[in-house]
Amino acid sequence: MSGRARLMWDEAVTGYDFGAGHPMDPVRLALTMGLVRAFGLDGAVDVRSAKAAGDSTLRLVHREDYVEAVRAASVEPGAADQGYGLGTVDDPAFAGMHEASALISGLSVGAAEAVWRGESAHAVNFTGGLHHAMPGSASGFCVYNDPALAIARLLELGAERVAYVDVDVHHGDGVQSAFWDDPRVLTVSLHEHPRTLFPQTGWPEETGGAAGEGGAVNVALPAGTGDAGWLRAFHAVVPELLADFRPQVLVTQHGADTHFEDPLAHLAVSLDAQREIMTACHDLAHSCVQDGRWVALGGGGYAVVDVVPRSWTHLVGIAAHAPVDPEAVIPSSWRDEVYARTRQLGPWRMTDGRKPVWQPWEDGYDPADRLDQAVLATRRAVFPLRGLLT
């Protein structure tokens, strides 16, 4: 097993561009890679590109007619078929949409192949994590579902147990749907409650289909949940499930839109807590997963200057076993890049100045507390199905 983590990157991913004014601004990807380089992390990882996902790979998750609709919309964006979720407000069609989307998926598939084949223990594709796309439609800024494609490729290569942990503020609905009836895949999503946020799914009662009952796990967090509650919920659910499931590969999605500055959601999580969860996922990969195989993906995140680049640079550093000190001053060269690209002033340090503290679930819970009610709902819905105590 190689000691160097793999970082999947290709400048062409910035072609995944829904246009001016859309929240999914590709500058967030360019700025993240710029910050990775500014801290010298590109020297601590094996930076690779990969081939765009071809039709046979895309069909592991997506219907052939949908792939053809995406390809057609890429050539004539004005003629996009809204029946496939294309050409909508959330997912405007754009020239080259198929190529850019397939490239992002190819990078995630390449990351999965690298860890499965033992080329790297950890692999990161922060351009991926597009978890809303369905087999036959685009949804929620996502055209192809690269996390599901990466998992499907792992299964094709012979994996018998793959765990997917999604901490984006939005429910990982597309990945859950793809493996709803597959007992080989455990999907866990921590997200803002569906009453208050798209896609209005991810209730604790969603536990998997008849063939995969107990394979879907959803923690629906109350709007306003901050660091202490977010970390408490994660540690009350995820480690126990992973220790029981014993995955051969851990795939995680690290949408940065849980942050208190994110404009599209209502959690109140800091960069420092996001870093804590990344570290926890890394540690779980080493403690619960064969050979520490870990594929870490990006996801949402719409504070494209202040939050996303810092969050995912921490992710790269953690995967590389070269974590960035939260107190580190951000290099002025990167701040100059921020201003040149956006005419905004970038952040100064790699921290929000928080030191997250949370109370372990084992110390007891309060049945009148909204956060604890959310955790209890999940544990009561799923844990008995997996033979675990609630």
Side-chain angles (χ1 to χ4, degrees):
M1 182 76 68
S2 169
R4 285 168 67 85
R6 181 74 54 90
L7 175 60
M8 309 303 296
W9 173 253
D10 190 306
E11 298 285 346
V13 295
T14 58
Y16 191 83
D17 187 353
F18 289 115
H22 193 282
M24 185 78 95
D25 189 335
V27 75
R28 70 198 193 120
L29 305 179
L31 290 177
T32 299
M33 193 61 195
L35 191 55
V36 166
R37 289 173 176 143
F39 276 107
L41 291 173
D42 54 329
V45 295
D46 183 11
V47 181
R48 298 283 188 95
S49 184
K51 292 181 178 179
D55 285 6
S56 62
T57 297
L58 293 172
R59 285 200 297 269
L60 292 173
V61 170
H62 295 289
R63 297 200 318 249
E64 184 175 3
D65 61 313
Y66 173 61
V67 174
E68 289 305 314
V70 174
R71 185 177 280 112
S74 299
V75 176
E76 290 189 69
D81 189 341
Q82 292 196 7
Y84 290 103
L86 304 169
T88 62
V89 172
D90 274 2
D91 298 279
F94 58 91
M97 180 171 59
H98 167 77
E99 291 76 14
S101 303
L103 175 58
I104 290 172
S105 291
L107 296 177
S108 290
V109 170
E113 291 173 342
V115 299
W116 182 254
R117 292 170 177 162
E119 297 168 12
S120 299
H122 309 328
V124 178
N125 177 26
F126 60 75
T127 75
L130 305 179
H131 58 170
H132 294 306
M134 294 293 178
S137 66
S139 177
F141 313 162
C142 305
V143 177
Y144 294 140
N145 195 317
D146 65 281
L149 288 164
I151 294 168
R153 178 62 175 146
L154 288 167
L155 299 177
E156 188 178 49
L157 290 171
E160 297 175 345
R161 295 180 309 281
V162 179
Y164 173 74
V165 177
D166 187 321
V167 296
D168 192 289
V169 78
H170 301 92
H171 177 225
D173 57 338
V175 184
Q176 174 181 284
S177 177
F179 304 105
W180 184 249
D181 282 299
D182 194 331
R184 297 173 297 175
V185 181
L186 174 69
T187 65
V188 185
S189 179
L190 284 82
H191 47 266
E192 184 179 329
H193 202 286
R195 285 196 190 95
T196 54
L197 194 66
F198 174 91
Q200 283 78 51
T201 58
W203 298 79
E205 295 79 16
E206 297 171 31
T207 57
E213 195 173 33
V217 183
N218 290 289
V219 186
L221 301 169
T225 296
D227 290 357
W230 196 57
L231 291 164
R232 176 172 168 81
F234 179 93
H235 287 284
V237 173
V238 177
E240 193 170 350
L241 289 171
L242 293 187
D244 173 70
F245 188 62
R246 297 178 298 108
Q248 293 164 299
V249 186
L250 174 63
V251 180
T252 58
Q253 197 266 23
H254 297 272
D257 44 8
T258 51
H259 196 272
F260 56 77
E261 287 188 12
D262 197 90
L264 299 189
H266 317 98
L267 295 192
V269 171
S270 72
L271 181 73
D272 304 284
Q274 291 178 346
R275 185 177 182 275
E276 289 277 342
I277 292 289
M278 294 167 186
T279 300
C281 288
H282 169 265
D283 293 347
L284 287 166
H286 281 290
S287 64
C288 298
V289 184
Q290 182 177 333
D291 296 323
R293 295 184 180 121
W294 179 34
V295 177
L297 307 174
Y302 309 101
V304 300
V305 170
D306 286 343
V307 177
V308 174
R310 293 189 296 161
S311 185
W312 293 345
T313 296
H314 277 305
L315 180 64
V316 173
I318 290 164
H321 296 151
V324 178
D325 184 348
E327 296 297 331
V329 175
I330 293 174
S332 60
S333 60
W334 183 78
R335 289 172 48 79
D336 291 342
E337 180 185 355
V338 167
Y339 189 76
R341 287 181 179 273
T342 69
R343 291 297 184 263
Q344 297 182 45
L345 298 177
W348 286 89
R349 293 186 181 273
M350 292 295 286
T351 177
D352 286 333
R354 306 287 180 87
K355 296 189 182 300
V357 176
W358 54 277
Q359 192 74 13
W361 188 255
E362 294 77 14
D363 291 352
Y365 60 85
D366 179 0
D369 181 82
R370 292 174 65 222
L371 187 282
D372 284 3
Q373 289 171 357
V375 173
L376 275 171
T378 299
R379 290 178 63 98
R380 287 171 175 166
V382 175
F383 277 41
L385 297 175
R386 305 204 64 85
L388 301 172
L389 296 175
T390 58

